[in-house]
């Protein structure tokens, strides 16, 4: 049981926020953490500033906390950072004209693939005969005779041919 608890704690994400960076007001600190989770570390690129140990991420965390402490709203803090660093600082870019392609490309590719598969499956179903005719008794007898001549076994037994080609 103790080993499971230790593994669970070790697997939890380690936040890079140092105790000296934290705000004394718990509500402001919670807002700063919420904002930090939305902001990209410009060095690590796929981590939030709260998860990164990079010096630039530390500077951004301090800047966010200064703005929160000064009384800025969440949107004002984000707008300030976007004006300073560009849209790239946001982990989830805003839906705007220049990011429309970014937001729409993945669903468009998925939809195109699904439609392509649907048309392919529909065409394959049309090409397949509805009722594949089975061999008549005379055809089965002829096949058995040919297989026996060739050294194979009877087709009616279901066993493989001896000399498969």
């Amino acid at each position: 049981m103790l080993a499971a608890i230790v593994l669970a704690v070790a697997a939890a994400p380690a936040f890079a926020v140092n105790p000296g960076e934290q705000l004394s007001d718990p509500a402001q600190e919670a807002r700063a953490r919420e904002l930090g989770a939305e902001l990209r570390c410009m060095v690590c690129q796929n981590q939030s500033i709260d998860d990164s140990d990079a010096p630039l991420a530390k500077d951004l965390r301090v800047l966010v906390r200064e703005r929160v402490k000064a009384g800025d709203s969440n949107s004002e803090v984000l707008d300030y950072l976007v004006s300073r660093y560009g849209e790239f600082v946001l982990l989830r870019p805003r839906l705007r004209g220049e990011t429309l392609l970014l937001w729409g490309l993945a669903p468009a590719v998925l939809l195109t693939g699904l439609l392509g598969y649907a048309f392919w499956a529909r065409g394959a179903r049309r090409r397949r005969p509805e009722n594949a005719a089975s061999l008549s008794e005379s055809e089965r007898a002829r096949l058995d005779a040919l297989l026996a001549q060739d050294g194979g076994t009877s087709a009616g037994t279901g066993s493989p041919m001896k000399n498969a080609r």
Side-chain angles (χ1 to χ4, degrees), residues 70-165:
D72 288 359
S73 69
N74 288 5
S75 62
E76 289 173 334
V77 173
L78 292 176
D79 289 342
Y80 175 76
L81 290 169
V82 167
S83 71
R84 203 162 168 193
Y85 296 100
E87 283 280 326
F88 189 71
V89 76
L90 300 175
L91 278 172
R92 288 176 289 148
R94 298 171 179 158
L95 183 59
R96 296 170 41 175
E98 54 270 4
T99 61
L100 193 57
L101 181 64
L102 175 68
W103 282 103
L105 191 59
V109 168
L110 178 65
L111 184 61
T112 302
L114 289 173
L115 286 173
Y117 175 74
F119 283 121
W120 174 81
R122 185 175 177 201
R125 197 175 333 120
R126 285 185 177 168
R127 288 188 297 271
R128 182 181 41 181
E130 288 297 321
N131 294 323
S134 59
L135 297 176
S136 66
E137 289 301 318
S138 63
E139 290 171 330
R140 183 168 299 282
R142 173 98 170 109
L143 180 61
D144 287 342
L146 287 172
L147 287 173
Q149 259 181 353
D150 197 28
T153 60
S154 172
T157 63
S159 60
M161 296 186 320
K162 289 180 186 173
N163 297 325
R165 293 182 190 195

Side-chain angles (χ1 to χ4, degrees), residues 23-34 68:
L23 296 172
S24 58
D25 182 7
Q28 287 181 339
E29 180 61 28
R31 280 187 51 221
R33 289 285 179 115
E34 181 183 320
V68 167

Side-chain angles (χ1 to χ4, degrees), residues 1-12:
M1 182 69 156
L2 181 62
I5 292 171
V6 169
L7 284 174
V9 170

